[in-house]
Amino acid sequence: MTFLAALSLAVTVFGQVPPGVSYNPGKHPNAIVTYIKTKDFKKTTYADAKKVTEFDPLGLSEKEGKLQSIEIALPNPATPKIALPNDEFPLIKVEYFPVIRQTYQLKSGGVLVLDAFKFPRVPIPMNDLTGILNNAAFRPGDKYWKARFGPATVPERVSVRGLAALLFDDNHEFVLFWREGTECYVIKTKAPRADLFRIAADLL
């Protein structure tokens, strides 16, 4: 009980983790976006992506890297039911939105992938939203519950652009997640940590 209480207090001070099924590296693009399969991304144009998603995502400046491609993936189904380890909300119907993917060749070398999407609509009161979703995200897996982040390492709690963020580091590549209002962003790159945070701070 003490552990769960401490966990609840710790995770509520960070931005909400979108609800989703357990992360499967062979299917999903990252540990946050598990309602999209990697194979679902299709090439598109920036104008068409904006039209479909109805928002203008952040992007890298030309001094940091060159845009290689823009892709979009549509959730299918768009409104699945997601299980939560919560007595009041054990099963919720979530409305997911398309994901825009921008892939950049960095001037410093290497590749950076930037996924952007609107935070899903979730039928949980605003006052309870962060606590319930983050408790589900950080709850360890057991015989009754599949860990939200799957085999991914437990993320480090960091700050980026003055906002709460999560950083996954498997000693191979970084995955950085944060939320700005209704918009969410996930960066994946093998670039050095210092470069990652500088680039994230300079997104336009």
Side-chain angles (χ1 to χ4, degrees):
M1 290 297 292
T2 301
F3 169 77
L4 291 177
L7 177 64
S8 176
L9 179 61
V11 300
T12 53
V13 298
F14 296 92
Q16 296 115 354
V17 176
V21 299
S22 180
Y23 171 51
N24 182 332
K27 294 181 179 180
H28 307 130
N30 54 66
I32 297 296
V33 182
T34 62
Y35 58 92
I36 292 286
K37 292 183 174 63
T38 303
K39 66 181 180 63
D40 292 336
F41 283 96
K42 308 296 182 185
K43 287 190 175 182
T44 187
T45 64
Y46 193 84
D48 286 344
K50 282 178 58 178
K51 187 181 299 182
V52 172
T53 59
E54 298 182 343
F55 79 98
D56 190 2
L58 297 171
L60 270 67
S61 65
E62 292 185 355
K63 70 176 183 179
E64 294 287 359
K66 183 177 181 181
L67 182 63
Q68 299 294 298
S69 65
I70 296 178
E71 300 169 281
I72 193 166
L74 307 180
N76 184 24
T79 56
K81 291 183 178 180
I82 300 295
L84 296 175
N86 182 276
D87 292 338
E88 188 175 358
F89 299 96
L91 193 66
I92 59 172
K93 189 174 183 179
V94 180
E95 182 181 359
Y96 291 112
F97 301 102
V99 178
I100 298 176
R101 165 165 289 184
Q102 301 174 69
T103 301
Y104 292 88
Q105 180 67 49
L106 298 176
K107 292 289 182 66
S108 59
V111 174
L112 182 144
V113 176
L114 176 62
D115 290 345
F117 55 95
K118 286 186 177 180
F119 195 85
R121 288 198 180 99
V122 182
I124 298 175
M126 186 63 66
N127 290 341
D128 300 324
L129 188 63
T130 299
I132 290 175
L133 294 186
N134 285 7
N135 281 334
F138 284 88
R139 184 185 179 96
D142 54 37
K143 63 179 180 179
Y144 302 108
W145 173 254
K146 289 186 177 181
R148 171 68 175 81
F149 298 138
T153 57
V154 176
E156 177 184 351
R157 297 161 175 86
V158 296
S159 177
V160 63
R161 300 172 64 83
L163 299 165
L166 296 176
L167 179 67
F168 297 85
D169 177 9
D170 64 358
N171 295 316
H172 175 65
E173 67 181 355
F174 292 111
V175 174
L176 178 66
F177 162 73
W178 75 97
R179 177 178 177 179
E180 299 193 15
T182 61
E183 299 173 14
C184 297
Y185 294 91
V186 181
I187 289 177
K188 180 185 287 189
T189 186
K190 295 179 182 178
R193 180 181 177 122
D195 288 351
L196 167 63
F197 279 87
R198 187 195 71 253
I199 290 169
D202 290 342
L203 290 174
L204 303 172

